[in-house]
């Protein structure tokens, strides 16, 4: 079975693109709405998670790093929100192909749309969380400026990196259910390895160089620097993590395309 068999036949390229875009829109909306279906507080629950982390970590580490990191509460909140987006997007996308197996068998569309729609739904929640971060920045007396526009390409880089991981784990999960357990372990390692709570300069030089290769860390440090000032989150190089994010995306697309013809039968 070739990947083209997933596409509705007798459509022009423009009609095919519109058809796939419509399915993506419907699935993304449905995923976002289903996440809060039957919940009294709805979106508030998604906001409660990063705020709960923020409160606990601020109480525990606030006194330790307050003198060394300017605007430490905001430094911490930015790191938590960015990390939460990556974790939530990948966690939601990981089982998406398996849970949508019936849809894959009944409706003709590219399987790529399923993890993409799930990641977009997570991005919707992330954008709402960014509004809340903006409120905290206002309370903290941080004034916006034109340099904040540089945050947009950084968030796009983070989304590409997140989508790459999501495509890889969702494709592998169809064949190897152990991927779910591995990801749960990776979540904890990612949280403590990234400088979310602490400044990256607290790491040994060799560890700092390794951690700096993580595109999430690069984006996190750059966003903090743009918003809070250059002294808040130094980073040596941006070239390597950007190249890693691009290379990982290429690998993810290749793997997903290779595995996609067998998703319907294996899921």
């Amino acid at each position: 079975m070739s990947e083209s068999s997933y596409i509705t036949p007798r459509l022009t390229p423009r009609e095919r693109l519109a058809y796939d875009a419509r399915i993506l829109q419907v699935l993304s909306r449905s995923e976002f709405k289903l996440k809060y279906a039957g919940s009294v507080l709805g979106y508030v629950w998604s906001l409660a998670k990063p705020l709960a982390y923020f409160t606990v970590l601020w109480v525990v580490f606030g006194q330790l790093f307050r003198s060394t990191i300017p605007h430490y509460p905001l430094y911490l909140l930015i790191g938590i929100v960015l990390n939460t987006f990556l974790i939530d997007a990948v966690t939601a996308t990981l089982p998406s192909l398996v849970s949508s197996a019936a849809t894959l068998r009944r409706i003709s569309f590219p399987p790529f749309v399923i993890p993409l729609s799930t990641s977009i739904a997570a991005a919707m929640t992330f954008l709402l969380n960014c509004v809340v971060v903006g409120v905290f920045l206002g309370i903290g007396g941080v004034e916006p400026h034109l340099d904040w526009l540089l945050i947009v390409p950084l968030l796009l880089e983070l989304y590409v990196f997140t989508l790459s991981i999501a495509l890889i784990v969702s494709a592998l999960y169809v064949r190897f259910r152990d991927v779910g357990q591995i990801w749960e372990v990776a979540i904890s390692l990612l949280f403590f390895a990234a400088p979310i709570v602490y400044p990256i300069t607290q790491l040994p030089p060799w560890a700092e160089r390794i951690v700096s290769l993580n595109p999430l860390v690069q984006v996190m440090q750059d966003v903090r620097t743009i918003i809070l000032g250059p002294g808040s989150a130094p980073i040596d190089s941006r070239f390597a993590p950007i190249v890693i994010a691009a290379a990982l995306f290429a690998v993810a697309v290749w793997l997903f395309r290779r595995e996609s013809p067998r998703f319907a039968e294996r899921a």
Side-chain angles (χ1 to χ4, degrees):
M1 183 182 297
S2 64
E3 187 174 343
S4 60
S5 63
Y6 287 105
I7 308 298
T8 298
R10 299 177 183 175
L11 293 179
T12 66
R14 180 177 296 181
E15 291 171 335
R16 181 178 299 170
L17 181 61
Y19 172 79
D20 293 342
R22 176 59 180 167
I23 292 179
L24 177 61
Q25 180 185 20
V26 171
L27 289 178
S28 299
R29 283 184 177 180
S30 300
E31 188 74 28
F32 185 76
K33 291 179 180 178
L34 285 173
K35 187 175 182 179
Y36 307 111
S39 173
V40 176
L41 297 179
Y43 160 72
V44 175
W45 287 116
S46 290
L47 180 61
K49 179 180 176 181
L51 286 182
Y53 282 147
F54 166 74
T55 302
V56 173
L57 294 173
W58 185 22
V59 170
V60 175
F61 297 101
Q63 296 297 324
L64 182 61
F65 296 118
R66 174 182 292 182
S67 59
T68 57
I69 301 179
H71 301 286
Y72 179 73
L74 299 176
Y75 175 97
L76 178 61
L77 183 61
I78 291 171
I80 290 174
V81 169
L82 292 174
N83 182 75
T84 298
F85 163 64
L86 187 149
I87 298 301
D88 287 355
V90 176
T91 300
T93 305
L94 189 149
S96 60
L97 291 169
V98 174
S99 60
S100 302
T103 304
L104 281 172
R105 298 187 186 103
R106 295 174 184 173
I107 303 178
S108 176
F109 64 91
F112 183 82
V113 171
I114 291 179
L116 183 60
S117 64
T118 306
S119 66
I120 289 176
M124 293 179 186
T125 301
F126 171 69
L127 291 177
L128 292 174
N129 288 346
C130 287
V131 174
V132 177
V133 172
V135 173
F136 276 85
L137 291 174
I139 296 174
V142 179
E143 297 182 0
H145 45 81
L146 288 178
D147 288 349
W148 285 23
L149 294 176
L150 297 174
I151 295 175
V152 175
L154 289 171
L155 295 183
L156 289 175
E157 178 191 349
L158 177 61
Y159 178 75
V160 170
F161 178 61
T162 301
L163 180 61
S164 301
I165 299 175
L167 289 174
I168 291 172
V169 298
S170 63
L172 293 178
Y173 185 75
V174 174
R175 185 182 294 193
F176 308 107
R177 297 298 194 268
D178 293 341
V179 174
Q181 305 300 324
I182 295 172
W183 175 243
E184 288 185 7
V185 176
I187 289 174
S188 299
L189 295 177
L190 180 64
F191 183 86
F192 290 107
I196 298 171
V197 177
Y198 56 86
I200 195 171
T201 52
Q202 291 287 316
L203 296 172
W206 63 268
E208 183 177 341
R209 287 192 292 270
I210 294 175
V211 169
S212 296
L213 296 175
N214 184 346
L216 169 65
V217 172
Q218 176 251 314
V219 170
M220 188 184 301
Q221 297 294 85
D222 282 343
V223 170
R224 285 165 167 168
T225 298
I226 292 171
I227 295 177
L228 304 178
S232 60
I235 189 168
D236 292 334
S237 174
R238 296 168 182 82
F239 178 76
I242 291 174
V243 170
I244 289 174
L248 186 65
F249 182 71
V251 170
V253 172
W254 169 81
L255 176 66
F256 198 89
R257 288 176 62 89
R258 191 192 71 174
E259 296 292 322
S260 62
R262 293 173 288 276
F263 284 158
E265 60 187 73
R266 287 176 175 169

